[in-house]
């Protein structure tokens, strides 16, 4: 250990790029900036135990991250470098890195979630105390939370005006994708990527599918039908930054305004979370705080396992449990069913999705759950209660999606609906009315 430490300290000064949710070398702003300096650059990833300790040991997202890091390590080795990897508490890991290396500059791409901003502030202070220059960059969004604001400087809380302002600022000419990497500018370091088992995990049976932009041309027509291959599967790739948002926007903005609009929703919810971090635990609309959720644990379990007796709800939950993915239309139906039909607190459903979704993104998950519950900033009105049977008629008429995930839905042993729609709707309306403050 002491030997490695002395050897590394003797190395020339290096820059470090800290990858977090930007697991790629191409069109990575922090990396491009680090490579501009005269110092050689090392690429770092930290397995953050604050996050890992909360996860199941076969979490599919950890498997995906590990696969992606293996790929990056291979790419770096082809450029005479290696991925620098640490496991532990990031601040402590950074203290170790400061002791081990002569560091000139540290670069990372900004992350806007509450945990990340706090972590990054602490690391920044530590590095600056050690006279290391720290640079953070915009990378995972087209517009950051402070770049699209109302005329009075306040954040938007309604989507349509936010989107209009976003589009007003949007200049495709300014969306530059960096294609070339300076391949001789990486630092020759000696590190090794631990095996999944060495960080306490095992390979998941769930694999991440590639994204597919061929759906964009017909997106407006196909996006709402879960049995069709009509959406892109981009969310997980944007979540982990295995593709750059600039590259995607460049390819889609002329083809489909509807698709672009969905990408704007992503940034809308990111800026909501950034400006109103209280939404993590609270209703955005505080006047909804008086709703008396029934929170029946047995009913929650039936919803989680896909045994509600409503085939479209059960199909969605089974798809989620089996693949880590659920189609957006079905996410809306299952979430609405939990909040309105069962009157279970949206936070329970949000937490279940957070555990299961490959593309789990705090801002989008929270924003959409609050939308479904009616408690969010630009939410569905509380009296809009999806009728699961009508939703099937509109979006899965041939029942192809249902047949795939609930093949026994017409059998005698398939459960009867756990609540009657009409009764549940009326109960929801009364409960909401009673709970909403004037
Ligand atoms: P596409 O239809 O191909 O959309 C393209 C991209 O646009 C998506 O990849 C995503 O980045 C963005 N997008 C699309 N719809 C939305 C939306 N409603 N809100 C924000 N961004 C959107 N999305 C997540 O990325 N992470 C989550 O944790 C998440 N939780 C959700 C929870 C609920 C209750 C609901 C109703 C929606 C949630 N969504 C979440 C939004 C949406 O369902 C997924 O982004 C989408 O289904 C991902 O599939 P796709 O990439 O094929 O989407």
């Amino acid at each position: 250990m002491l030997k490695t430490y002395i050897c590394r300290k003797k190395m020339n000064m290096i820059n470090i790029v800290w990858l977090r949710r930007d697991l790629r070398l191409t069109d990575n702003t922090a990396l491009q900036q680090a490579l501009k300096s005269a110092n050689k650059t090392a690429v770092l990833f930290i397995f953050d135990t604050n996050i890992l300790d909360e996860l199941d040991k076969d979490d599919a997202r950890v498997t995906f991250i590990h696969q992606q890091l293996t790929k990056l390590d291979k790419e770096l080795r082809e450029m005479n470098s290696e991925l620098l990897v640490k496991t532990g508490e990031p601040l402590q890991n950074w203290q170790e890195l400061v002791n081990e290396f002569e560091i000139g500059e540290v670069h990372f791409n900004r992350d806007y979630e509450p945990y990340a901003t706090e972590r990054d502030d602490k690391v920044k202070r530590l590095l600056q105390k050690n006279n290391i220059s720290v640079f953070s960059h915009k990378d995972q969004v087209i517009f950051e939370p402070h770049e699209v604001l109302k005329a009075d400087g306040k954040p938007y809380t309604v989507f349509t005006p936010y989107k209009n302002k976003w589009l007003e600022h949007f200049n495709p000419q300014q969306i530059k994708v960096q294609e070339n990497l300076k391949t001789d500018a990486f630092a020759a370091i000696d590190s090794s990527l631990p095996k999944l088992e060495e960080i306490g995990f095992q390979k998941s049976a769930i694999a991440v599918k590639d994204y597919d932009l061929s759906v964009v041309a017909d997106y407006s027509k196909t996006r709402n039908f879960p049995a069709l291959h009509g959406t892109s599967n981009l969310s997980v790739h944007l979540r982990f930054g295995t593709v750059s948002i600039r590259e995607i926007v460049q390819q889609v903005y002329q083809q489909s305004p509807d698709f672009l609009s969905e990408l704007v929703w992503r940034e809308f919810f990111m800026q909501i979370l950034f400006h109103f971090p209280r939404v993590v635990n609270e209703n955005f609309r505080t006047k909804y705080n008086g709703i008396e959720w029934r929170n029946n644990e047995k009913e929650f379990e039936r919803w989680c396992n896909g045994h509600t007796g409503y085939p479209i709800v059960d199909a969605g939950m089974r798809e989620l449990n089996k693949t880590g993915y659920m189609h957006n239309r079905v996410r809306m139906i299952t979430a609405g069913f939990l909040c309105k039909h069962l009157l279970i607190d949206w936070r329970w459903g949000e937490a279940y999705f957070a555990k299961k979704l490959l593309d789990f993104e705090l801002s989008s998950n929270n924003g959409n759950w609050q939308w479904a519950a009616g408690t969010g900033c630009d939410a569905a009105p509380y009296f809009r209660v999806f009728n699961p049977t009508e939703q099937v008629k509109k979006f899965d008429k041939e029942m192809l999606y249902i047949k795939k995930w609930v093949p026994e839905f017409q059998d005698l042993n398939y459960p009867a609906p756990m609540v009657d729609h009409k009764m549940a709707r009326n109960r929801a309306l009364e409960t909401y009315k009673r709970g909403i403050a004037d």
Side-chain angles (χ1 to χ4, degrees), residues 219 231-235 262 325 328 331 359 361 365 368:
Y219 185 71
T231 69
S232 66
N233 195 41
L234 197 52
S235 49
E262 294 305 329
Y325 180 82
N328 180 61
R331 291 188 203 199
D359 66 19
E361 172 89 72
N365 200 38
N368 279 290

Side-chain angles (χ1 to χ4, degrees), residues 249-307:
V249 166
Q250 237 186 19
Q251 290 184 60
V252 304
Y253 80 93
Q254 279 173 320
Q255 281 191 70
S256 171
D258 280 346
F259 194 86
L260 185 65
S261 188
E262 294 305 329
L263 295 174
V264 180
W265 269 108
R266 172 178 170 267
E267 295 191 7
F268 174 70
F269 284 135
M270 281 181 172
Q271 60 96 37
I272 289 288
L273 175 62
F274 180 82
H275 292 296
F276 306 93
R278 64 176 179 81
V279 296
V280 174
N281 301 308
E282 277 181 30
N283 295 323
F284 180 90
R285 299 187 196 187
T286 47
K287 70 176 197 167
Y288 281 56
N289 286 353
I291 296 172
E292 281 180 43
W293 302 107
R294 291 174 58 254
N295 289 348
N296 180 309
E297 288 186 20
K298 286 223 162 64
E299 291 184 4
F300 181 62
E301 212 173 293
R302 284 185 70 171
W303 177 83
C304 292
N305 296 331
H307 291 133

